[in-house]
Amino acid sequence: MATMTAAERRERGREAYDAYLAECPSRHVLDRIGDKWVSLLLVALADGPRRYAELGRAVAGVSQKMLTQTLRGLERDGLVSRTVTPSVPARVDYALTPVGRSLVDLIGVIKVWAEGNIAAIEAARTEYDAREQPPA
Amino acid sequence: MATMTAAERRERGREAYDAYLAECPSRHVLDRIGDKWVSLLLVALADGPRRYAELGRAVAGVSQKMLTQTLRGLERDGLVSRTVTPSVPARVDYALTPVGRSLVDLIGVIKVWAEGNIAAIEAARTEYDAREQPPA
DNA sequence: CGGGATCCATGAAGATACTG
DNA sequence: CAGTATCTTCATGGATCCCG
């Protein structure tokens, strides 16, 4: 059993950790905005309500599946609202909710930080790569 | 060829998109902080320098591979510094760089937003789930 | 102690086809 | 128009073994 101790300990740690993470608000938010399409969709909605197909074109490159899936997730979290107008060709509009709009603001803050520090980051990256792999 | 148009258009869009994303500073930052271990490691380092094994224990649940990999990425981006002390049992200390510290601050901002809005989000989520799946 | 290298399972993203 | 359902592919994380 002694040889299992290390693995066991890690698993114990992971369990406790998962539980901890599950109730960590930051985690949820981080997971959301870390999603490739969430931020893009959110800023696409920043200008105003958009229809399903409009979002598909605005984000260009997203598959129907991911578009729907992401939208559903955002709707579930109360970040966007979904309004169905049962006309002949059904019409569905998506819009930011107040909370969603405030999240867009937060993304704006992140964007500002990113633009202010990207130069330093890329410089560090270039230097790092140059140091580790001098010749061919 | 007419039947390929849709797929082609999407692929064209995706190519242009990837190029666009590649030079979008926000994307890099979002990808970084979206990483499960990055934020955890960063806050673990907020209190001061830590050794490799200390970080492993502090974050509890991370595998050696991810710990090393994440640390390397952060080092490459100039967010953490790596100091090797070639004593008998080698000693390696990791610490936040100024840029890294400022990123921790940004994470702090995100945390504040998260804690301020998690209630609304969870409420929306509960309501959504209740609406879509009333009985069993 | 602090990793590097390798193999493998899993889950997410994408393409495709079909429906109300 | 606005999805849903299914299949396949592929990247990511994790476990393990080994080395300086």
Side-chain angles (χ1 to χ4, degrees):
Chain A
M1 280 298 222
T3 56
M4 281 293 293
T5 313
E8 277 185 340
R9 272 235 301 263
R10 205 179 316 134
E11 193 180 351
R12 289 290 185 85
R14 209 167 54 74
E15 284 171 22
Y17 221 65
D18 289 347
Y20 161 67
L21 288 180
E23 51 181 280
C24 174
S26 305
R27 241 328 355 110
H28 294 302
V29 175
L30 248 12
D31 284 346
R32 269 255 163 277
I33 62 182
D35 188 282
K36 183 179 179 182
W37 304 115
V38 167
S39 52
L40 297 170
L41 237 28
L42 250 26
V43 305
L45 284 170
D47 307 326
R50 288 276 184 281
R51 299 182 57 178
Y52 182 84
E54 284 181 318
L55 287 172
R57 259 173 276 116
V59 176
V62 68
S63 64
Q64 279 194 334
K65 178 185 173 181
M66 291 318 295
L67 182 55
T68 299
Q69 185 174 308
T70 306
L71 248 14
R72 286 285 179 284
L74 292 175
E75 187 197 355
R76 191 171 106 100
D77 284 356
L79 298 172
V80 305
S81 63
R82 179 169 176 270
T83 311
V84 183
T85 307
S87 38
V88 180
R91 176 196 177 96
V92 181
D93 285 274
Y94 291 91
L96 290 177
T97 63
V99 182
R101 190 164 296 283
S102 112
L103 181 53
V104 170
D105 291 342
L106 179 62
I107 292 179
V109 173
I110 295 173
K111 187 186 167 202
V112 169
W113 188 92
E115 292 174 345
N117 293 89
I118 189 65
I121 291 178
E122 290 193 336
R125 206 175 297 187
T126 302
E127 192 202 347
Y128 183 92
D129 292 347
R131 250 190 306 121
E132 302 306 311
Q133 316 207 348
Chain B
M1 278 297 219
T3 56
M4 281 293 291
T5 314
E8 276 185 341
R9 272 235 300 264
R10 205 178 316 134
E11 193 181 350
R12 290 289 185 85
R14 207 167 57 73
E15 285 170 22
Y17 221 64
D18 288 347
Y20 160 66
L21 288 181
E23 50 182 281
C24 175
S26 304
R27 248 305 22 96
H28 294 302
V29 176
L30 247 12
D31 284 346
R32 269 255 164 278
I33 62 182
D35 188 282
K36 183 178 179 181
W37 305 115
V38 167
S39 51
L40 297 170
L41 237 27
L42 250 25
V43 304
L45 283 170
D47 307 326
R50 288 276 184 281
R51 298 183 59 178
Y52 183 84
E54 283 181 320
L55 287 173
R57 260 173 277 116
V59 176
V62 68
S63 63
Q64 278 194 337
K65 178 184 175 181
M66 292 317 296
L67 182 55
T68 300
Q69 183 175 305
T70 306
L71 248 15
R72 285 286 178 282
L74 293 175
E75 186 197 355
R76 190 171 107 100
D77 285 355
L79 297 172
V80 305
S81 64
R82 179 168 177 271
T83 311
V84 183
T85 308
S87 38
V88 180
R91 176 195 177 96
V92 181
D93 286 275
Y94 291 91
L96 290 177
T97 62
V99 183
R101 190 164 297 282
S102 112
L103 182 53
V104 171
D105 291 342
L106 179 62
I107 292 179
V109 173
I110 295 173
K111 187 185 167 202
V112 169
W113 188 93
E115 292 173 345
N117 293 89
I118 190 64
I121 291 178
E122 290 193 335
R125 206 175 297 186
T126 302
E127 192 201 347
Y128 183 93
D129 292 348
R131 250 189 307 121
E132 302 305 310
Q133 317 208 346

